Amino acid sequence: IADLVVGLGSGQIKTGAPCRSERLAKYNQLIRIEEELGPMCVYAGAKFRQPLGAVRKVVVVGWGPVGHTVVEELLEKSKEPVAITVLCEEPYAAYNRVKLTTFFTHRSPEKLALGSELWCKDNCINLIFGAATSIDCSAKKVSYKTRKGQEGTVEYDELVMATGSKPFVPPLPGLDLATPGVCLYRTID
């Protein structure tokens, strides 16, 4: 019964049972479900008749420091349930670009990491290592392509563009990326 209540989003459970052990079994199963769902587990409260309709879909395009902060704030401050999808063009978890210079001494992306795939899984975040290829604002969909060539779309109620910046190259003669010895770094790659 506990599984049905959660699965159907009924928000109510009938606790009457012929014996105490059956009631305890229902409560224990609810506790197991709560532990498994983690932060995505919300109590319907006053909105028990439509708890599933309250899930807000947020897509964050870009998982650098700003995108990571947006995700952290959504997890911490959202009063309603939120389903978060992150599109990350780089093959690494969000990392601290301010400390990027230290990467040359240790060559470890993990030492710069702000989050990880495990962190996303633990927080019920759908992490997609892929680049946004188009946005359909009227349909509220973002299309993407992974480095392996897989394509897909994700729907959103709210879209956050956190795609970062590009280093400025002053327009000076001979200062060009094609010039030997001239390079820019903004990412681990």
Side-chain angles (χ1 to χ4, degrees):
I1 289 179
D3 294 297
L4 285 172
V5 166
V6 173
L8 296 172
S10 69
Q12 298 181 42
I13 186 168
K14 179 161 177 19
T15 57
C19 63
R20 183 173 182 220
S21 63
E22 289 182 31
R23 285 193 305 272
L24 284 175
K26 290 177 191 178
Y27 293 133
N28 288 337
Q29 181 61 14
L30 285 173
I31 290 169
R32 283 190 291 274
I33 292 169
E34 179 184 20
E35 288 172 352
E36 186 175 325
L37 291 176
M40 288 300 290
C41 181
V42 293
Y43 296 98
K47 297 183 179 185
F48 74 90
R49 297 221 183 264
Q50 50 198 223
L52 299 178
V55 176
R56 187 172 46 134
K57 293 178 282 190
V58 178
V59 172
V60 179
V61 177
W63 197 31
V66 171
H68 184 73
T69 301
V70 167
V71 170
E72 284 183 320
E73 293 291 316
L74 282 169
L75 291 172
E76 183 181 326
K77 296 183 179 177
S78 288
K79 293 182 173 131
E80 299 289 331
V82 60
I84 302 170
T85 298
V86 174
L87 285 171
C88 180
E89 188 171 2
E90 292 185 67
Y92 307 102
Y95 57 90
N96 187 337
R97 283 169 172 71
V98 173
K99 294 183 178 179
L100 191 56
T101 303
T102 66
F103 179 74
F104 296 109
T105 60
H106 53 68
R107 303 283 181 182
S108 173
E110 293 79 26
K111 289 187 177 182
L112 301 176
L114 299 171
S116 67
E117 290 181 63
L118 180 60
W119 180 85
C120 287
K121 184 179 177 185
D122 288 346
N123 286 285
C124 300
I125 296 165
N126 179 23
L127 173 61
I128 300 169
F129 286 109
T133 55
S134 67
I135 299 170
D136 184 339
C137 295
S138 60
K140 292 194 167 193
K141 291 183 179 182
V142 178
S143 298
Y144 65 88
K145 186 174 186 177
T146 68
R147 288 181 177 226
K148 295 179 181 178
Q150 297 169 314
E151 296 182 3
T153 60
V154 288
E155 296 180 354
Y156 65 86
D157 295 313
E158 296 174 28
L159 176 64
V160 177
M161 298 297 294
T163 55
S165 62
K166 292 185 178 180
F168 173 71
V169 179
L172 299 172
L175 188 59
D176 186 284
L177 291 179
T179 306
V182 175
C183 63
L184 302 174
Y185 71 94
R186 182 76 181 128
T187 66
I188 288 176
D189 288 341

